[in-house]
Amino acid sequence: MKKLFFLSLVLLSLAFSEAIAQNNRRHDTNYNGWFMYFGTHKLTDKWGLHTEFQLRRYHVVSDPQQFMPRVALVYNLSDRASIAAGYAYVHTYPYGDNPAADDFPEQRTFQQLQLKDQQGIFGLQHRFRLEQRWVKFALADEYTYMNRARYQFRATLPLQGTSLEDKEFYLGVYDEVFLNFGPNVTNNIFDQNRAYAAVGYRFHKDANVEVGYLHQHVAQRNGIWFENNHTLQVGLTYNLDFRKKSTVPQE
């Protein structure tokens, strides 16, 4: 009975602490626009180069939020699996109800595994990514090192017929969760979640455009402020093929 009473006190204390933490939380709602370019270019049958640039705006278009170039070397394990390692630079500006004191930079390296599959009319993709982040927070003299893990699940559904062909529309959806780990994790292991839905148009197998909505739920490092970011996303993908073309001598 004493053990049960003690356990009840512990559970009640934890519930009370969680209730206080919930009451201390502040929520910030923002309306953003992300405008993006992606390209994974073939260098050989196995190797490729991923290039990317994202321009992120606060108040959809009027104010700066972030910009990020990213590059990676890609190795194709098979038609449905690839690994990559790369670098990204992220520059963040003050925005929202709880803005940073000033803009600040981030240097980032990352490694990822990407798997593709086809289940009926659905194209499926799993992406696992590890990030090593060096962030020089606003007004700080030194960079802070942090680790983050990300997992994204994406599905693509053709809107004309049972397979996606050139000059056809499709629906794309994904969800991606971000978790902090290792040194310098402060109040939140959970970093953010992104839920996305878009309509896309495939020009041909190496080019498409998507326009969609992203809901980004972000936990700030202080453990008090949580962002609900409603985001317009416009993305262009254009892949190039730099492999040497074999020439067949004419007779």
Side-chain angles (χ1 to χ4, degrees):
M1 181 63 71
K2 289 183 178 180
K3 290 182 179 179
L4 182 60
F5 179 72
F6 178 74
L7 179 60
S8 300
L9 285 178
V10 171
L11 293 176
L12 183 62
S13 176
L14 290 174
F16 182 70
S17 299
E18 178 63 18
I20 293 176
Q22 291 282 352
N23 290 333
N24 286 337
R25 289 179 178 178
R26 300 291 182 266
H27 295 275
D28 176 14
T29 299
N30 303 298
Y31 297 90
N32 304 322
W34 291 7
F35 306 94
M36 306 168 295
Y37 156 78
F38 306 95
T40 301
H41 315 298
K42 295 179 180 178
L43 303 178
T44 69
D45 290 343
K46 288 292 188 180
W47 292 96
L49 180 68
H50 176 81
T51 57
E52 179 179 335
F53 183 79
Q54 298 194 28
L55 181 65
R56 300 174 176 177
R57 304 292 291 178
Y58 177 50
H59 291 139
V60 185
V61 294
S62 62
D63 301 308
Q65 184 197 22
Q66 288 180 324
F67 70 85
M68 181 183 65
R70 178 156 44 203
V71 64
L73 192 61
V74 181
Y75 182 77
N76 296 306
L77 300 171
S78 69
D79 292 339
R80 295 189 174 187
S82 67
I83 56 175
Y87 166 82
Y89 173 80
V90 185
H91 200 94
T92 301
Y93 295 88
Y95 70 94
D97 293 336
N98 185 46
D102 201 353
D103 58 301
F104 60 90
E106 174 184 343
Q107 315 279 344
R108 182 188 303 174
T109 57
F110 68 95
Q111 306 80 39
Q112 77 175 33
L113 168 66
Q114 186 166 285
L115 306 174
K116 297 180 181 179
D117 193 14
Q118 189 72 34
Q119 294 293 331
I121 63 174
F122 293 95
L124 307 179
Q125 178 179 288
H126 304 268
R127 189 179 74 188
F128 306 86
R129 181 178 289 176
L130 291 175
E131 296 178 329
Q132 301 79 45
R133 307 170 64 205
W134 291 264
V135 184
K136 191 175 183 180
F137 291 105
L139 307 181
D141 295 326
E142 303 287 339
Y143 280 86
T144 299
Y145 175 74
M146 296 179 293
N147 294 292
R148 189 165 67 182
R150 301 168 54 168
Y151 166 68
Q152 182 192 96
F153 173 74
R154 177 184 169 102
T156 303
L157 172 67
L159 296 179
Q160 300 167 257
T162 58
S163 63
L164 183 58
E165 307 294 340
D166 294 349
K167 299 181 181 180
E168 289 186 356
F169 289 92
Y170 63 91
L171 176 66
V173 296
Y174 73 69
D175 191 83
E176 184 171 16
V177 62
F178 297 59
L179 299 176
N180 300 309
F181 69 95
N184 299 319
V185 175
T186 53
N187 295 287
N188 294 305
I189 295 175
F190 170 79
D191 180 80
Q192 62 179 277
N193 189 83
R194 298 178 183 177
Y196 171 77
V199 174
Y201 181 78
R202 171 172 152 169
F203 297 98
H204 54 79
K205 66 182 182 65
D206 289 320
N208 64 68
V209 64
E210 288 186 8
V211 179
Y213 166 76
L214 172 75
H215 179 262
Q216 183 191 30
H217 183 63
V218 181
Q220 294 192 6
R221 296 180 75 240
N222 56 27
I224 297 174
W225 280 92
F226 289 77
E227 298 178 22
N228 287 302
N229 296 327
H230 303 284
T231 304
L232 167 70
Q233 282 201 172
V234 181
L236 171 67
T237 297
Y238 196 91
N239 304 319
L240 299 174
D241 191 343
F242 292 105
R243 292 176 297 179
K244 292 182 179 180
K245 300 295 189 293
S246 60
T247 59
V248 179
Q250 297 181 354
E251 295 180 359

